[in-house]
Amino acid sequence: HLTPYTRHETPEFQTYGQSVAVGLNFPQIAAALDRMPGTRLYAPDEEEGHLYTRVVQCGEGPDLAGIVNELHGALRHRALTAPVEGAREVIRARMYERARGFYASALRLQPRNWALMQEIAVFLLLPNGEHDAVLEMAAIGLSINPLASDLWRARGEALLALDRAEEAVEALDRAAALSPGNVEAHRARAEAALRLGRHGPALMAIAEALAQDREGDTQEALLALQLRVLAAIARSERDLLLAAANPFLPQDKLPEG
């Protein structure tokens, strides 16, 4: 990316910091290779529509057309993505056990796909709160891509559910730092801070979430969380006032002389 992400933008794919995108003109490449003896350009017969692959063969060698089609053609892409699409479809119908089966099939097909692991980790938070499984999935995914914001967020939410709030704060702060526009990461940070009684940081995290929620999708939930924090502050202040008044309370019931 020649222009860095702004604070409200969330990277959609795998990132390892700043990068440079180089445009490739496939027709020009094909024309250039036609004039170069001993080279051959392969393209899939049918392409997926978003990812385009070309393979250049230099020198003598076997015909790679079949392999290129098998590895990079639309048919392979549909085979890889069909279980994921199936899982998303049944999740909308709250058929979580069926979704689990689809995701298991998808993971067998793509055992090193960190984005898929991220999706599965977030899913495992939803139906039954399988927090140990979330931690396991997040650990595997982060070993492949340590900059995956939602993997850190899923890890943090699972740790918080397991009453490991300090570790949760560390993971959630990492998620928010990697993707400042991740509203759910800020919301979870506020939950963790509230659990620890850190009301100021909780309100700051809610403010950041509200600022990043451009569509207002989570505004109601964030405002409800803000009310919980304010109520906790009110209870804390009330307890302080009662503690200050307690030394004088016994004097109100002194016997009359």
Side-chain angles (χ1 to χ4, degrees):
H1 300 276
L2 298 180
T3 304
Y5 288 112
T6 58
R7 282 183 61 82
H8 71 272
E9 291 178 312
T10 301
E12 202 173 331
F13 300 108
Q14 188 166 354
T15 57
Y16 289 102
Q18 297 294 321
S19 61
V20 176
V22 179
L24 298 177
N25 187 316
F26 287 151
Q28 284 186 348
I29 292 173
L33 291 173
D34 278 344
R35 298 192 296 268
M36 295 176 60
T39 62
R40 185 173 178 183
L41 181 69
Y42 295 93
D45 293 335
E46 182 188 0
E47 299 193 88
E48 170 264 324
H50 296 285
L51 300 175
Y52 299 89
T53 302
R54 298 294 182 269
V55 175
V56 178
Q57 184 179 31
C58 299
E60 296 296 327
D63 189 312
L64 301 179
I67 296 176
V68 171
N69 266 319
E70 182 181 346
L71 294 180
H72 304 294
L75 184 62
R76 176 177 174 80
H77 175 79
R78 286 194 291 267
L80 289 175
T81 56
V84 180
E85 294 299 328
R88 293 169 182 169
E89 186 67 29
V90 297
I91 285 173
R92 284 191 282 270
R94 298 183 181 276
M95 300 168 67
Y96 296 124
E97 284 304 315
R98 289 198 64 187
R100 186 191 305 276
F102 278 121
Y103 276 134
S105 298
L107 206 54
R108 282 193 293 270
L109 291 170
Q110 305 181 67
R112 289 189 58 79
N113 185 335
W114 65 267
L116 174 60
M117 295 175 191
Q118 180 170 262
E119 184 171 330
I120 294 172
V122 173
F123 160 72
L124 289 172
L125 288 171
L126 297 176
N128 300 312
E130 299 174 66
H131 304 117
D132 289 327
V134 172
L135 291 179
E136 183 179 355
M137 184 61 64
I140 297 170
L142 289 169
S143 70
I144 299 170
N145 179 13
L147 301 184
S149 173
D150 266 333
L151 279 172
W152 284 108
R153 197 258 295 184
R155 172 177 168 78
E157 293 210 49
L159 288 168
L160 185 61
L162 294 169
D163 291 325
R164 295 161 61 180
E166 290 287 357
E167 294 175 79
V169 167
E170 183 180 346
L172 293 168
D173 284 348
R174 184 78 177 271
L178 288 168
S179 179
N182 190 329
V183 175
E184 286 299 315
H186 292 300
R187 177 201 55 75
R189 287 174 66 221
E191 290 277 7
L194 176 59
R195 178 79 61 87
L196 292 168
R198 299 170 185 171
H199 302 133
L203 289 174
M204 286 296 297
I206 292 169
E208 289 186 67
L210 287 168
Q212 300 298 336
D213 185 13
R214 306 293 169 139
E215 304 299 326
D217 295 333
T218 59
Q219 186 178 81
E220 186 176 342
L222 289 169
L223 292 177
L225 178 56
Q226 180 176 271
L227 286 176
R228 287 170 52 203
V229 177
L230 293 175
I233 293 173
R235 287 194 300 271
S236 177
E237 291 298 321
R238 177 176 175 276
D239 291 343
L240 287 173
L241 287 172
L242 287 175
N246 275 338
F248 304 100
L249 288 179
Q251 299 179 32
D252 296 339
K253 297 184 180 181
L254 292 174
E256 295 184 5

